[in-house]
Amino acid sequence: MSAPVTISIDAMGGDHAPEMVVEGVRLAHVRLPHVRYLLFGDAQRIEPLLEKAPEIKGVCTVRHTDEAVSNDAKPSQVLRTGRRSSMWLAVDAVAKGEAAGVVSAGNTGALMAVSKFVLRMLPGIDRPAIAGLFPTEKGETVMLDLGANVDCNANNLVEFAVMGEVFARAVLGLEQPSVGLLNVGSEDMKGNDAVKAAAAALRDSPLPIRFHGFVEGNDIGAGTVDVVVTDGFTGNIALKTAEGTVKFYSSFLRQAFQSSILAKIGYIFAKHALNKVKMRTDPRRYNGAMFLGLNGIAVKSHGGTDAFGFANAIAVAVDLVAHGYNERIRKEFDRLNPQDPPTQRAAGNG
Amino acid sequence: MSAPVTISIDAMGGDHAPEMVVEGVRLAHVRLPHVRYLLFGDAQRIEPLLEKAPEIKGVCTVRHTDEAVSNDAKPSQVLRTGRRSSMWLAVDAVAKGEAAGVVSAGNTGALMAVSKFVLRMLPGIDRPAIAGLFPTEKGETVMLDLGANVDCNANNLVEFAVMGEVFARAVLGLEQPSVGLLNVGSEDMKGNDAVKAAAAALRDSPLPIRFHGFVEGNDIGAGTVDVVVTDGFTGNIALKTAEGTVKFYSSFLRQAFQSSILAKIGYIFAKHALNKVKMRTDPRRYNGAMFLGLNGIAVKSHGGTDAFGFANAIAVAVDLVAHGYNERIRKEFDRLNPQDPPTQRAAGNG
C-alpha cells in the first residue's frame, strides 16, 4: 500500500539491546510491512536473533560494527572517538541518503551530538530540541524541549515555539495549533527573564503563530494548548513527573482492586474498560521523541523501553517521513526568515 | 486534649473568600476543637457567615478591615500600600504573638513578601522557600521550592536541602530523611550549573544530611527520597504537572466506568476501594504549603481550593505549631552555622 521506506536502526542502543531492538523491529513489521531496516551493530549477536524471527529476515540488512556507545559516555568523547559506533553509523546512513530516518534507544546526549554533527542543523535554526507527544483530556499535546538544552534563552524558546507548531501541524494534522509557554503562573509578571522575554517576542512577532500566552503544569494534562514550549531542564522533569504520577496512580489502583473481595469482583467486570485506560496512558505508546531542527529525521526511544515501545518509536519515524516533516519545517523557516538568503544558509547542509 | 492554639486567618484571600474560608474553619473545628481563630477581613461579610455556623462563633474573633490584596497585585505594591489589608494584619498577628501561625489562600507572591517583611527571615537563612507534601508509592515526600524563587543558585539549593530535611524530620517524623536534588538525569555530568554545584557542595559538606544525589521527575511519585530539592520554577511546574496528571487520569477512569454496562457494574462493586484511591490522591488533602525560613509559621493554601482543602491548610499550620517546627529549624541552623554568633544574626528578628 505505501512506498518502501528504509529506517536505520542503532541495534546496540538501549538497556536491553540488541534483543529488545530486533523484537521491536519484528513488532513494527506487523504494522508497517512496507518498511525496510538497516541494523547497525554486532552481527554475531544480531544474526542469531534474526534467525529466530524469519518473517523479518527479508526486510532487514545487518551492517556489522563491534563498537557501541555506552550510556555514560560523554557526548564530546563520542564525537572524538565514536565514528565506528553503531549509533554513528546509523545516523550516517540518513546523511548518505541510504535511510529516510534513524531510531536509537541509546545515550540521548551522544545521539543529539552525533545527529547535529552528522546531519547538521536546518538552515535558520540555532539549537535543536527534543519534542514528544503527551496524552491529555482532549487528545494529544506536543511538548518541547524534553531535554536537549538544559539552559535556554528567550530566542531558543521562540525557535522551539516555531518548530513545535510545524511539528503539531505535520504530526497531529492541525491547521492552526495553539502554542503556550510553560510558566509558574498565567499573569504577565510571573516567571523568569527568559519566559517573560519569549512571551513578549511571541506576542509582538509577525510570526503566524496562534500564541495562547503562559500555561501552567496542570495545563499539560488538561490539553489547554496543542504545543507546550519550555526549556529542556523543566520539560524533562515535567515529562518524567507526569510518567511517574501515572505509574503511582496505577499502582494505587492495583492495590485498591486487591483490597477486598468486592473490589476483586468489580475488577473482573470493569477489566476491559480499565485496559483501555491503561492503553491510553501507557508511556510506551508515547515512546519516540523527535529531534527537531536537524536536517534529517532522528527519533530517540527511551533507553529502558521494551520491544512494544521501540516499535512505536519506529512508527513515529515512519510517520515523520510519510508527512515530509523535514521539508515542511524547512519551508516554514524559509518563509519566516526571508531576509536570510536560503542558499547561503543552506551551504554545507545535506 | 491539646493546649489551646490561636491561628490567624486571612479571611479575604482565595477565589471563594470569605465563604470558603469560614466554611473551612468550620470543618477544621470538627477535627481540631482546641484551636481558636482570629479572622481578618470585612466584618459585614464575615459576621453573617458566622451567624449561620453557631458552633464556631465561640472560637472565632473577627478583626475588621475593608482592605484586601487582589490576586493580580504586585508584591512590591502590597508592601508599599497594603498595611491595612486582611493579609498583612493576619501575618502581623503572628509577629505580635497574638497567633501561633497564619493561613492565607491569597496572592502567593504578596503573602511571601509580606511574611518576609513582617516576620523576617530566620537567622542564617538567605531566601525562604515554599515546601509541600506529595503522595508517593511509599508514603509522602517533601518537595521544595514550589514557587517562591524562580531563579536559584547553588547556595539557595543547598539551603533548601537543609530546611527541607528539618521539615521532613518535624512533619513526617523521620530520623534521618534522605535528600535528593531534582535533575534531568542521575549521572554527575547531567544538569545545569546550579544543580551540579549544589550537588558537589552537598556531597562535600560537613552537614549531617543523608544526600542521595540526583533524582529525576519520576522519582517524586516513586518516593525514592524523602525530600526533593529544586528551584521554584521547576518545582512549581512539577507540582502542577503531577496534579494535572492525576486529574486527567481520573477523568479517563470516569469515562471508562461509564463506557459499558459491565464497567458500570464493576464500578458499583469496586466503588469503596476506588474512593480510597481518590482520597489518597486528592490534591485538597495535600493543600497547605509551608513558607520555610521565616521567623514564624505561615501556610499558603491554594487560591482555588474549597473549604475541605482550606481546613487541611489550617491543620498543616496547627501541626507545625504542635511540632515546634520553628524552634527546631532555628536550632538546626544554629548548629550548622556555629561560626556565626547567633546573637548578632538574630538581631532584629522576632
Side-chain angles (χ1 to χ4, degrees), chain A residues 71-75 107-109 134-139 147 150-151 182-185 187 189-193 195 216-222 230-234 236-257 259-260 262-263 265-267 269-270 273-274 276-278 280-281, chain B residues 71-75 107-109 134-139 147 150-151 182-185 187 189-193 195 216-222 230-234 236-257 259-260 262-263 265-267 269-270 273-274 276-278 280-281:
Chain A
N71 263 338
D72 53 359
K74 285 197 179 177
N107 181 327
T108 309
F134 261 79
T136 74
E137 287 190 47
K138 292 184 189 162
V150 291
D151 291 300
L182 196 57
N183 196 1
V184 296
E187 301 87 356
M189 59 171 189
K190 289 277 180 80
N192 56 31
D193 293 343
V195 295
E216 301 185 56
N218 48 311
D219 289 307
I220 304 171
T230 187
D231 65 273
F233 189 82
T234 313
N236 183 283
I237 286 169
L239 166 76
K240 288 177 184 161
T241 301
E243 285 177 3
T245 308
V246 165
K247 213 174 147 205
F248 98 85
Y249 200 106
S250 30
S251 115
F252 280 12
L253 269 184
R254 245 192 328 274
Q255 289 169 35
F257 281 119
S259 65
S260 71
L262 280 182
I265 295 171
Y267 178 73
F269 278 102
L274 289 168
K276 272 193 272 180
V277 177
K278 206 174 155 189
R280 227 173 133 179
T281 55
Chain B
N71 263 339
D72 53 0
K74 284 196 181 176
N107 180 325
T108 309
F134 262 77
T136 73
E137 286 189 48
K138 292 185 189 161
V150 292
D151 291 300
L182 196 57
N183 197 1
V184 297
E187 302 86 356
M189 60 171 186
K190 288 277 179 82
N192 56 32
D193 293 344
V195 296
E216 301 185 58
N218 48 310
D219 289 307
I220 303 171
T230 186
D231 66 273
F233 189 82
T234 313
N236 183 283
I237 286 169
L239 167 74
K240 289 178 183 161
T241 301
E243 284 178 2
T245 308
V246 165
K247 216 175 144 205
F248 99 85
Y249 200 106
S250 29
S251 115
F252 280 11
L253 270 185
R254 245 191 329 273
Q255 289 169 35
F257 282 119
S259 66
S260 70
L262 281 182
I265 295 170
Y267 178 73
F269 278 102
L274 289 169
K276 272 193 272 181
V277 176
K278 208 175 153 186
R280 227 172 134 181
T281 55

Side-chain angles (χ1 to χ4, degrees), chain B residues 201-218:
Chain B
L202 285 166
R203 258 186 226 107
D204 300 342
S205 96
L207 296 174
I209 281 189
R210 191 146 67 90
F211 180 56
H212 171 93
F214 291 134
V215 291
E216 301 185 58
N218 48 310

Side-chain angles (χ1 to χ4, degrees), chain B residues 293-344:
Chain B
L294 299 171
N295 195 11
I297 286 165
V299 170
K300 167 70 174 80
S301 159
H302 240 297
T305 196
D306 62 8
F308 179 81
F310 197 82
N312 275 323
I314 292 174
V316 170
V318 173
D319 224 32
L320 291 167
V321 173
H323 284 90
Y325 171 75
N326 249 39
E327 294 69 44
R328 287 176 77 156
I329 202 165
R330 185 199 277 267
K331 259 188 218 148
E332 284 297 320
F333 268 83
D334 282 345
R335 196 162 62 87
L336 296 173
N337 301 298
Q339 68 280 19
D340 303 342
T343 47
Q344 190 188 321

Side-chain angles (χ1 to χ4, degrees), chain A residues 162-186:
Chain A
V162 175
M163 294 198 289
E165 201 254 4
V166 178
F167 184 74
R169 278 195 275 144
V171 172
L172 301 181
L174 299 170
E175 288 229 347
Q176 219 191 351
S178 59
V179 177
L181 258 179
L182 196 57
N183 196 1
V184 296
S186 52

Side-chain angles (χ1 to χ4, degrees), chain A residues 272-294:
Chain A
H272 180 71
L274 289 168
N275 278 341
K276 272 193 272 180
V277 177
K278 206 174 155 189
M279 257 189 63
R280 227 173 133 179
T281 55
D282 186 344
R284 297 178 307 168
R285 273 194 72 209
Y286 294 92
N287 186 35
M290 167 76 188
F291 285 2
L292 298 188
L294 299 171

Side-chain angles (χ1 to χ4, degrees), chain B residues 5-7 25-26 29 32-39 50 53-62:
Chain B
V5 171
T6 301
I7 299 292
V25 168
R26 199 186 65 76
H29 177 66
L32 306 160
H34 65 294
V35 179
R36 305 279 174 273
Y37 300 91
L38 292 177
L39 304 180
L50 289 177
E55 65 270 43
I56 55 167
K57 268 190 79 174
V59 295
C60 289
T61 306
V62 179

